[in-house]
């Protein structure tokens, strides 16, 4: 099953069957629908872990390839830098110190406007 599309179809159909068949059997023997659904879900998960490892692996590889299809070396370096900053508790741009206020001559502010700004 090297074709990712086939792996996806097989995986989805079998997962649905691994739930639907136990649900139908449990419901037919008289369990309430929600109890039958809970047990069918548990049975479906167990069966999919046991029997669908190969198609799940192929499907996850196709997700990985699709996710990384357009990544350049620059994108990878940027992602690593972001991850390193996040894991080191790095400061964000909001945490960076604000630049020093410009002088009145540089900002073109009048003395009254500067006073109002300083008062607030």
């Amino acid at each position: 099953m090297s074709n990712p599309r086939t792996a996806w179809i097989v995986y989805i159909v079998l997962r649905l069957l691994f739930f639907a068949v136990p649900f139908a059997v449990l419901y037919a023997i008289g369990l309430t629908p929600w109890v039958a659904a809970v047990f069918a879900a548990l049975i479906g998960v167990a069966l999919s872990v046991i029997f669908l490892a190969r198609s799940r692996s192929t499907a996850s590889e196709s997700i990985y390839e699709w996710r990384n299809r357009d990544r350049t070396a620059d994108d990878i370096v940027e992602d690593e830098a972001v991850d390193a900053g996040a894991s080191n508790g790095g400061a964000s741009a909001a945490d960076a110190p604000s630049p020093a206020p410009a002088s009145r001559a540089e900002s073109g502010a009048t003395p009254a406007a500067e006073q109002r700004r300083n008062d607030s």
Side-chain angles (χ1 to χ4, degrees), residues 6 15 23 26 34 38 41-44 46 51 57 59 61 64 73 75 98:
T6 304
R15 283 295 304 259
F23 178 77
L26 292 171
W34 68 272
V38 169
L42 292 173
I43 293 168
F51 296 112
S57 174
E61 287 172 5
Y64 178 81
D75 292 337
S98 60

Side-chain angles (χ1 to χ4, degrees), residues 32-85:
T32 60
W34 68 272
V35 173
V38 169
F39 283 119
L42 292 173
I43 293 168
V45 167
L47 290 174
S48 68
V49 166
I50 295 169
F51 296 112
L52 299 180
R54 185 179 313 147
S55 59
R56 182 175 50 251
S57 174
T58 305
S60 67
E61 287 172 5
S62 73
I63 292 171
Y64 178 81
E65 290 169 4
W66 175 79
R67 172 66 178 93
N68 295 309
R69 69 188 182 282
D70 294 331
R71 292 184 72 194
T72 62
D74 186 47
D75 292 337
I76 294 169
V77 169
E78 286 176 1
D79 290 347
E80 289 173 353
V82 169
D83 291 343

